[in-house]
Amino acid sequence: MPIDHDPPTAIVLDIQRASLHDGPGLRTTVFLKGCPLRCQWCHNPESIDPNPVTVTTAKGEPKTYGQRITVADVMAIIIKDKAFYQNSGGGLTISGGEPMLAFAFTHALATTARREGIHVALDTTGFGNANQWRQMLDVVDLFLFDYKATGETLHRELTGFPAAPLLQSLRFLSDHGANIILRCPIIPGLNDTTEHFAAIRQLRQTHAGIIDVNLMPYHDVARYKYDELQQPYPLANTSIPTPDQIQAWQHAITPPPDPNA
Amino acid sequence: MFSDTDSKAQDIRLLNLAVQFTEAYQASADMPKAQRELHLIQGLYPDLLLPPLEDDRFAGRALRPISGFSNQAFPEGDQADTVGFFFDEVRANRLIREHNLHDTELGQQIRACADYWRSECTDSKIVARMDAPMHQALPSLLFEIDSAVSHRLHRIASTGLDYAYLLDNGIPALKQQFADQAEQLKDSDPAGEDFRHGCVAFMELLDRVLAHYAQTLGEATAATENLTRRHALNTMATSVAALRQRPPQTFFEAIQLVHLFTLVGLYCNNFGRMDEYLGPYLQRDLNAGRITQEQATEMLVAYWWLLNEHYNNSRMTLGGIGRRNPEAADTFCRVALEATRRFYAKHTPRTRHMGFALCPQVALRISSETPADIRAQALAVQATGATYPLMYNDDVNVPAVAKAFRISEKLAAEYGGFDCGEYVMDKYSIGTPSAIIALPKALEVALHNGIDPRTGKQLGPATGNVESLDSFDKLWQAYDQQVTFATEQSARFQKLLFDVVSEHAAFVAMSMLQPDSRATHRGILEGGSSMLGGTYETYGNITAADCLFAIRKFVFEEHNISLADLVPHLDNNFKDAPELKQQLKALPKFGNDHDEADAMAIRVHDHICNLTRDQADKVGLHHYLVVVINNGANVILGHHANASADARGNGEPFSNGNTPSSGNDTHGLTAMLNSIVKLTPDTHAGAVHNIRFSKKTIDEHRPMVTALLDTYFSQGGTQYMLTVTSREELLEAQAHPENYGHLLVRVGGFSSRFVELPADIQQEIINRNAY
């Protein structure tokens, strides 16, 4: 059977309804499996492998992460909360992993949701080419765009992936009218540097599409997932930031008030 | 309704009163019943009355009698509620023992009283008239102790009263009015004569109570040096004196009259649409500058305290369509919501019956007419963890109530959630529960040919050995037969209870506050109420649905195991089959917006609701309807059932109201709410839904919480109660109860301090998902 005629499918890790944390309003967040990055602090290590993964939980029970489903299957769930989206300014968020890895699925899902009048957000590392972004611009209302480390070397070290193509994506989206919220995980000892905060401020000033910046302070609740996956937890010695620290970070990424304003 | 006491003199006074009451009862057998009822109640006053306590702002406290008359009395210990004339033998014996009175004359008299009442109390007369099917279906009153599918309740609760009539007229005018009627109608309506004389006698009793307080409070005022307290006592003294002469004129006097009428006249915990009848007094006082909003709020805080002290689960309904003076009523709503916030922030109300009561329970009806600030205020009060107000959705409920009760929408607009949550039409209807049913227990019995596997008793019809239930349809038929048997007998029992109680009592005080009774001069049980009906409390509906779904899918569709092989695993709590339990646990459950699983819940819901509704005409009641409530009974009834096919363990709680079983709602709150609204509201008398938010969510995402709840209502949601807490908080509270006295937790229709709950109920709350 020609591949083109198959309905797009993807390995879906999870579908979270009534989510308050993945964009505005009440949202349904669809997490897809597969990610090209290897961030040291990854909170969803079970999402990295593009295929379903079966692990043994702390209770000794088997548990499988990931299930192949179609756009129609996902839409059937998303559509059920339409009234909640409308009353709260919410919608659909496609997240991952990196949803652009499953571009055909992600694009088809966003297109279908848009057709239903549902607000679509895409949570992305920025992995994708201009042709793909051009198509996504037509069907995505809001990009939740990660910015993780400043400097090519450090970015590669912390995420296992070059920074340049991701920044190119950011530039492209911003220049083509996208609404972008920059999402910045801040990990004590790894990227809580003056240079990084300055870069965030600068990105804000040089990318008209960035409407907001969200700091995402490090936490270690995902630690148990590494045990399940029988992987060492990379940040075993990293401390959880204090509220004062977080406030200082927040201050550091906020541009000084415009003297001419 | 009455305060306990430890003092020996008071105890002896109470024992003597019980003897006097018994003697008066014996001597008055020939009196017409309404007059006899009042004659007997009058004998208890003013002896039962107590002076106000130090912080009381209103007069009216009383001792709880050992022997007396009530529509719902709560005797001591493990005894169940009673109705009509009662004698609390357990309590009497305790007092005799504690004060070493065995060999005294009083001790002998009390023993004689106990012997007499064992067959003479109204409860015994009801039981004596039950036939064999009723006994089989409803073997016990003690659902906390005895295993059964269905348990009966002896009470006449949930009665809507017209307090506005009392306040509009006042005592002198009502007394005159009833006396005039007695004179004018004695020839044309001799059948109503007893009732009219009873009304006059009740007004005389109320006047005597006012006179008692006018005198004793006057004396107390004179003897008090503290100026603030002196002022408070003087306000009470002058108010009760004024109420002997005229109708109430102020907010304070109106509350005082409502309180004393209720204290003396009846055990009533349903204060109905309080904003309707108290709002105009409050508004007038505010407009005239007689009191400030702050003073009014503190008055209500003090009144809430008295309600908590005197009534088991007192409750009131605020807001909604159909109020005569919505502006004044809304003024009352605002003050009442603030009083509620302050009350639950300040007091640790005593825990009583079943360990869950916190009162008053404040419900708020929401409609398109509700001012936005009241809606926001309600959520702000809930966000403090007060758990009140409970929220009701008029847009859905008024038409649903009209259909379920077969009444006009105008009358349906009087609905309120009474007692444990059952709808009652304010001023007009009686909707007391007569029995409770545990649907998962009915299924368990169906799987054992009508026999309770816990006790070996034949609780229902023999509907076939498990081997014979070789298709889902056959299993459903067996379940249907078990539920039908219990439901039919419960409805018959409801009618019997009304009939028997009516032979002995008129419930004059309650009746005079129902317009229909007043118009016909008949007690509410003898044709006075045009809406004399009942309710059937159902528990574990969702557990039963999840079990039936699991059996259909796992046994009959996928053929993983035979039903005959499954049942022994349930009976031994999956001891040898942990994998089986996991497989059952993994099946879809209600509460996740899963169409198939939810369809079974709809089937179970429709079945029990329609079956119950259809009993009314058969037994001769205005209505007989399911109420899907929760007051902790889901936990207690769960103790009496073996493990079930939804992977619930032996003795574990059943589902709660119409919400998913603990931990089974795994797809988020929108999915849960979507599931809930699939269950039709127009065939029952109310269903309760618990929604929990963490403190963090409700504080940091208030607009989202608002949008979520608003959408739930706009999608057809009928009701919710909101608990604010976090799992961490609860675990910490279990470990260190001393630090968490403030932690309020909603347990279905009731509420309590978390730390005061039994460990298994604490665990149940922790297991429920917090959003």
Side-chain angles (χ1 to χ4, degrees), chain A residues 176-209:
Chain A
H176 289 79
N179 288 317
I180 302 164
I181 293 177
L182 210 59
R183 307 232 285 183
C184 306
I186 303 296
I187 320 300
L190 298 187
N191 65 357
D192 58 336
T193 61
T194 313
E195 186 193 6
H196 186 50
F197 293 133
I200 293 171
R201 284 202 306 274
Q202 190 168 4
L203 284 174
R204 214 175 196 174
Q205 282 162 345
T206 56
H207 291 72

Side-chain angles (χ1 to χ4, degrees), chain A residues 41 147-150 154 158 184-201 215-218 235 238-242 244-250 252-253:
Chain A
W41 54 85
Y147 180 66
K148 296 178 170 175
T150 298
L154 184 66
L158 296 184
C184 306
I186 303 296
I187 320 300
L190 298 187
N191 65 357
D192 58 336
T193 61
T194 313
E195 186 193 6
H196 186 50
F197 293 133
I200 293 171
R201 284 202 306 274
L215 282 191
M216 305 173 72
Y218 171 74
L235 303 186
T238 302
S239 57
I240 308 296
T242 63
D244 284 350
Q245 226 172 336
I246 293 169
Q247 207 180 352
W249 293 345
Q250 195 66 51
I253 61 154

Side-chain angles (χ1 to χ4, degrees), chain B residues 446-481:
Chain B
L447 292 169
H448 294 82
N449 199 13
I451 294 167
D452 183 350
R454 287 292 187 90
T455 63
K457 281 188 192 155
Q458 186 80 36
L459 290 179
T463 45
N465 291 322
V466 66
E467 290 78 11
S468 71
L469 306 176
D470 56 6
S471 70
F472 182 73
D473 285 347
K474 286 187 186 167
L475 171 64
W476 178 270
Q477 278 168 23
Y479 167 77
D480 167 55
Q481 284 177 266

